[in-house]
Amino acid sequence: MDGVTISALGAIIGLVCSIIFIFIKIPPVYSLMLGSLIGGLIGGASLVQTITIMTGGAADMMTTILRILAAGILAGTLIKSGAAETIARTIIKALGEKRALLALALSTLVLTSVGVFIDIAVITVAPIAIAIARQAGFTKTGILIAMIGGGKAGNMLSPNPNAIAVSSAFELPLTSVMAAGIGPAIVGVMLAYIIARKLQHRGSAVTAEDLAEDGEKEELPSFGRSIVGPVVAILCLALRPIAGINIDPMLALPLGGIVGAIVMGRARKTLEYATFGLGSMTGVAIILIGTGTIAGIIQGSELGNTIINTVQGLGIPMFLLAPIAGILMSAATASTTSGSTVAAQVFGPTLTAAGVSKVAAASMIHTGATVLDHLPHGSFFHATGGSVHMEFKERLSLIMYESLIGLALTLTSLILFGVIKIA
């Protein structure tokens, strides 16, 4: 970086510009790149220096991006084969209509925890949820908050891009980040169910027009065969802490997808599933390139030191920097993955240097990134609202409840890893 330090004001302006660009519908990757460029130039770097910092930040994302692209094989297999739908239907059928809201929350929890994107998990469960709501008299608000809350909880213990990004930043086994999310996930899904019950009759009702018309579908695989792929992937990842055998997620996750396709009798469709999965992961990977550029600008600026000095000046324990960073960065990017990535890249070294364990810092950043990742300038807000045909104004009313669930995840992690220090 040729000894250049970008001013904190420049970095902040770059972040604000990125958010504004995303709001006015400029593609997120371009928004982040433009914001990075503006932040670097305003922050005192020359054009050449700014570009060098941006490309360096993007280069730091390559390990994470490669693992995320590889994870597409497992995700594609689960979604295209119908395995994800089978898992959801099995859980809902097992719990019955009386516990339908809990079943919806658990369905999205399980789907995200086995490697399905949270927005895809909600979209997968939504047609079933709409049918249940129509029959039981639940509103769209009730079913959607149950699905979103369950998805947020499951996201904390999944091999999804957000966990991959955090584990890569802290050089931790992916299973360590997943295991650290167990406590927060339990609390999160319980709160999601409680809130969903309170809201089950508030908001707009499901109409006949909202019910999905089922076209011809491929026969769904059995539940037993559906879970083989995720189990294989998780067992491969677990070999490192159990037996000291290190199988990288770049191998473990695709292997789970391939084995799952074979067990379901869909081996000939493995390429089709992989292609679909790659397509679903490409968007995230591209956004992470933009995320890397803004992370580079922030890392090369005084913003990190400014926040750290503020935390120390207020007498706040240093471990609180982890959730604060996760919350702020997720608010800026409206993305769990981007928010946790930037926070881990920028503040990770400071946290570990201050004596916070890698697992503790990773968990608190990871959970913090769920508090404001659902803001309207991100795709999650619109994808989940669209899944149940919800109007924009009503979708906005859910933000407070989503943030409460995110705060519950964060506070649980804070207590376990910051106060009690179980890691």
Side-chain angles (χ1 to χ4, degrees):
M1 294 183 195
D2 300 325
V4 177
T5 300
I6 296 167
S7 68
L9 178 61
I12 292 171
I13 291 174
L15 269 173
V16 171
C17 286
S18 295
I19 295 170
I20 292 171
F21 294 149
I22 292 172
F23 261 118
I24 62 176
K25 305 301 182 183
I26 295 176
V29 63
Y30 292 141
S31 298
L32 292 164
M33 291 170 69
L34 281 170
S36 303
L37 183 63
I38 292 169
L41 294 175
I42 291 178
S46 69
L47 179 60
V48 173
Q49 291 166 335
T50 299
I51 296 297
T52 300
I53 294 170
M54 288 171 60
T55 53
D60 289 340
M61 291 291 179
M62 285 314 300
T63 300
T64 300
I65 289 171
L66 288 173
R67 287 173 175 165
I68 288 171
L69 292 176
I73 298 176
L74 175 60
T77 300
L78 287 170
I79 297 164
K80 287 293 285 182
S81 67
E85 184 175 343
T86 292
I87 293 169
R89 288 185 179 278
T90 302
I91 294 169
I92 292 167
K93 184 177 179 181
L95 292 178
E97 187 178 310
K98 289 185 178 180
R99 298 182 183 86
L101 292 173
L102 177 61
L104 294 177
L106 290 176
S107 295
T108 51
L109 181 149
V110 172
L111 291 184
T112 50
S113 67
V114 299
V116 178
F117 274 14
I118 181 171
D119 50 354
I120 300 299
V122 173
I123 290 169
T124 300
V125 178
I128 311 169
I130 288 172
I132 291 172
R134 178 72 171 166
Q135 183 175 341
F138 299 146
T139 60
K140 294 177 183 180
T141 297
I143 60 173
L144 186 55
I145 201 66
M147 292 188 289
I148 288 174
K152 280 181 177 285
N155 228 7
M156 294 301 95
L157 36 83
S158 75
N160 270 341
N162 40 283
I164 292 172
V166 173
S167 65
S168 296
F170 283 98
E171 298 180 344
L172 285 169
L174 181 54
T175 45
S176 296
V177 176
M178 292 163 63
I182 293 174
I186 293 171
V187 173
V189 76
M190 289 173 60
L191 180 60
Y193 175 55
I194 291 169
I195 293 174
R197 281 183 59 87
K198 294 288 185 182
L199 301 177
Q200 62 183 326
H201 299 305
R202 295 186 193 177
S204 60
V206 172
T207 65
E209 289 74 21
D210 294 318
L211 296 173
E213 295 182 9
D214 293 328
E216 291 185 12
K217 281 188 175 182
E218 189 174 358
E219 184 180 353
L220 295 177
S222 67
F223 177 76
R225 293 185 177 187
S226 296
I227 63 171
V228 169
V231 169
V232 168
I234 292 170
L235 287 177
C236 288
L237 293 171
L239 287 175
R240 178 171 176 176
I242 293 174
I245 301 172
N246 184 15
I247 300 180
D248 194 273
M250 201 180 301
L251 295 176
L253 299 177
L255 180 62
I258 293 168
V259 171
I262 293 171
V263 169
M264 289 184 287
R266 314 278 174 85
R268 289 181 296 177
K269 295 192 174 184
T270 302
L271 183 58
E272 177 188 336
Y273 297 160
T275 302
F276 176 84
L278 177 63
S280 65
M281 294 292 182
T282 300
V284 177
I286 291 173
I287 290 174
L288 280 180
I289 294 173
T291 301
T293 64
I294 197 71
I297 294 297
I298 296 173
Q299 281 179 307
S301 75
E302 297 172 342
L303 181 58
N305 289 332
T306 300
I307 294 175
I308 292 163
N309 292 336
T310 301
V311 169
Q312 292 176 333
L314 294 173
I316 299 173
M318 185 55 71
F319 66 79
L320 285 176
L321 177 62
I324 290 171
I327 292 169
L328 291 176
M329 294 304 107
S330 71
T333 60
S335 164
T336 317
T337 302
S338 296
S340 54
T341 302
V342 174
Q345 293 277 0
V346 174
F347 298 101
T350 300
L351 288 164
T352 52
V356 181
S357 76
K358 289 184 176 182
V359 172
S363 177
M364 289 186 283
I365 285 175
H366 197 196
T367 52
T370 66
V371 177
L372 294 171
D373 60 344
H374 43 266
L375 293 179
H377 57 285
S379 61
F380 178 75
F381 174 93
H382 303 282
T384 51
S387 71
V388 294
H389 314 291
M390 182 176 283
E391 295 292 333
F392 182 81
K393 185 177 180 181
E394 185 175 0
R395 180 65 184 86
L396 280 175
S397 69
L398 266 65
I399 289 177
M400 175 179 67
Y401 303 109
E402 295 170 275
S403 295
L404 283 175
I405 295 167
L407 280 172
L409 295 169
T410 305
L411 288 173
T412 304
S413 177
L414 193 61
I415 292 168
L416 292 176
F417 298 104
V419 179
I420 301 176
K421 297 182 179 178
I422 65 171

